[in-house]
Amino acid sequence: VLTDDPAGRFDRTPDPLAPVRRRRDAATLRATHVKTRDGGWAPASGSARLSVERPAEASAGEPPLGGLHAGDTVEVVARLSRPAGPGNPGERDYAASLRDQGVRAELWASDPAAVTRLGRAEWSADGWVFAVRRRATAVLAETLPAKEAATAAALLL
């Protein structure tokens, strides 16, 4: 179950001078089941950060993860891993940042088709909050210049 709305992000590249930066869609999900080696399903719990590579031919205006929203039930075929810690002393500790959010694992998928919606979000308090936030952000983006809209959204929402 997605616990937040997906967002588009640029992938970190090992070479900062690389001309192409891949775009990834990311969201946090709450796991309920994991497929076992024997093909069955085992109950699971916990949060994971889902990252899905966006195809190069995808348009910039296309919504992240095909329009999925917080509360949607999804099935994901992806590589499961532990978040990586800092590579050198003084670097940002991404794993610690995710742990602070209650996220203990990462899921990596190379194709948006790896994420299948099983059910739409039920109306809950979290669903209402994300719906209002989504609409308010859209109104700010329509009525203010881009820089001011981003600042207003960060401060207000």
Side-chain angles (χ1 to χ4, degrees):
V1 177
L2 295 178
T3 59
D4 63 3
D5 276 355
R9 296 199 161 83
F10 283 105
D11 200 14
R12 294 175 295 194
T13 57
D15 180 5
L17 301 176
V20 177
R21 295 180 68 196
R22 291 182 300 180
R23 186 165 172 98
R24 289 193 171 269
D25 293 337
T28 304
L29 58 85
R30 180 177 40 84
T32 59
H33 292 82
V34 175
K35 194 164 191 174
T36 59
R37 290 179 193 247
D38 63 2
W41 291 92
S45 64
S47 294
R49 188 73 179 161
L50 171 65
S51 294
V52 180
E53 189 171 334
R54 185 178 279 215
E57 63 274 1
S59 70
E62 186 178 318
L65 286 178
L68 294 174
H69 296 293
D72 285 351
T73 304
V74 296
E75 181 175 277
V76 179
V77 178
R79 182 174 45 96
L80 178 67
S81 66
R82 253 186 228 169
N88 293 306
E91 281 187 351
R92 176 176 177 253
D93 191 348
Y94 179 65
S97 174
L98 288 179
R99 275 193 308 274
D100 290 344
Q101 300 169 38
V103 175
R104 302 281 190 262
E106 286 186 297
L107 291 168
W108 293 90
S110 59
D111 185 4
V115 181
T116 306
R117 183 189 327 229
L118 299 178
R120 293 211 177 264
E122 296 179 14
W123 287 106
S124 64
D126 288 341
W128 279 100
V129 168
F130 280 109
V132 168
R133 185 178 296 156
R134 221 179 2 260
R135 180 65 186 132
T137 302
V139 168
L140 290 171
E142 291 169 5
T143 57
L144 295 173
K147 188 174 180 181
E148 284 82 2
T151 302
L155 290 172
L156 298 173
L157 306 173

